[in-house]
Amino acid sequence: MRSRTDEVTTAKIHQVHADNYDVYGARKVHAELNRQGHRVARCTVQRLMKRAGLRGISRTKGPRTTMGSTAPDMRPDLVERAFTADAPNQLWVADIERCDALLNPAVMEGHRSWPVAAG
């Protein structure tokens, strides 16, 4: 019984997906099927779309902050992975991280930063 209903539902999913330029994901396909009167659970739509190899197009593209290199990493390890120091101001380590919230001037107001020595 389930295999027959899956076949019918998969055919309808293919039709809705094709009618909408192959950009609808499971959420929108599910909504459209319900509007057309074909009652089906969203998890069923997700399962059948995955089995049929159908995917929606994501509009959200996160910022690409790093362009990876295919060359081997040839930078020297100056601290030899020993991140300890016997006294202050002997070893300084830094990390670069992009934080979009901190780029906003309204968030940065009253925000202070200072260097921290390892040790």
Side-chain angles (χ1 to χ4, degrees), residues 77-98:
D77 185 3
L78 299 177
V79 295
E80 298 174 355
R81 301 286 178 224
F83 296 107
T84 58
D86 297 329
N89 287 332
Q90 287 187 342
L91 176 66
W92 289 74
V93 208
D95 188 17
I96 299 172
E97 181 178 332
R98 179 186 172 109

Side-chain angles (χ1 to χ4, degrees), residues 2-75:
R2 180 178 176 177
S3 62
R4 276 187 263 142
T5 57
D6 280 357
E7 288 175 20
V8 173
T9 305
T10 302
K12 290 185 183 270
I13 288 172
H14 273 287
Q15 185 61 45
V16 169
H17 197 256
D19 288 347
N20 292 286
Y21 307 102
D22 298 333
V23 297
Y24 273 14
R27 184 177 59 88
K28 287 188 177 184
V29 169
H30 170 256
E32 181 62 29
L33 288 173
N34 282 320
R35 276 194 294 273
Q36 293 177 3
H38 187 79
R39 300 286 178 224
V40 62
R42 190 183 331 175
C43 61
T44 302
V45 173
Q46 289 171 339
R47 177 176 55 84
L48 294 176
M49 283 184 71
K50 186 173 184 176
R51 184 181 295 164
L54 300 175
R55 293 185 57 190
I57 301 298
S58 175
R59 292 179 188 226
T60 58
K61 305 285 188 226
R64 183 153 184 193
T65 58
T66 303
M67 303 300 251
S69 173
T70 57
D73 189 9
M74 300 302 289
R75 295 171 293 177

Side-chain angles (χ1 to χ4, degrees), residues 99-113:
C99 184
D100 290 333
L102 295 179
L103 297 176
N104 185 346
V107 174
M108 286 300 294
E109 187 175 328
H111 192 285
R112 294 188 181 140
S113 64

